[in-house]
Amino acid sequence: MTTDWRASRADEVRTLILQADPDITEEIKWRKPSNPDGVPVFSLDGLLCTLETYKDKIKVTFAQGASLPDPQQVFNASLTAGTRRAVDLKENDPLDDDAFVELIRAAVAFNRQ
């Protein structure tokens, strides 16, 4: 498991995701030799997002991001994808915690339509 800044950054994001709704569940999927820790996947009434760790960033990919309101422009990656949107965070990138939590809540609401 990664123990540098990426781990602490991922823990911060995980906390925000889980505080957005008490019923959100986390499971680890897609374990393989090149990624033995797997990928954290967050769900509630369907897939919400994944949390991946890369060499230079962590990435939160929202399964239905293109359908979610993002008035604070938290999404900064996969902006032209047809369905998904993502938030890439490097070590010192700022994150608007409140706006991020609202994105998670919007994803829950989308899944419940």
Side-chain angles (χ1 to χ4, degrees):
M1 174 169 245
T2 304
T3 57
D4 61 11
W5 67 266
R6 294 170 298 170
S8 59
R9 201 80 211 258
D11 285 344
E12 292 169 18
V13 169
R14 175 181 285 108
T15 298
L16 293 173
I17 293 168
L18 296 174
Q19 83 181 33
D21 190 298
D23 294 327
I24 292 174
T25 60
E26 177 183 3
E27 60 185 315
I28 303 300
K29 292 189 176 186
W30 308 301
R31 290 182 194 266
K32 56 187 177 182
S34 61
N35 186 12
D37 294 331
V39 176
V41 176
F42 299 88
S43 301
L44 179 55
D45 296 324
L47 176 63
L48 298 172
C49 61
T50 61
L51 176 58
E52 298 173 273
T53 302
Y54 293 91
K55 184 177 181 177
D56 64 337
K57 66 186 171 221
I58 64 166
K59 178 185 279 287
V60 184
T61 302
F62 286 72
Q64 299 295 327
S67 298
L68 304 180
D70 183 20
Q72 302 301 319
Q73 298 182 328
V74 177
F75 290 129
N76 63 5
S78 304
L79 298 177
T80 59
T83 305
R84 296 171 294 135
R85 293 286 183 274
V87 179
D88 286 357
L89 294 169
K90 295 186 178 180
E91 185 170 10
N92 296 310
D93 286 351
L95 177 64
D96 182 331
D97 292 356
D98 294 335
F100 183 81
V101 168
E102 285 307 310
L103 271 181
I104 297 293
R105 290 179 178 150
V108 170
F110 180 87
N111 283 355
R112 290 181 169 164
Q113 311 187 77

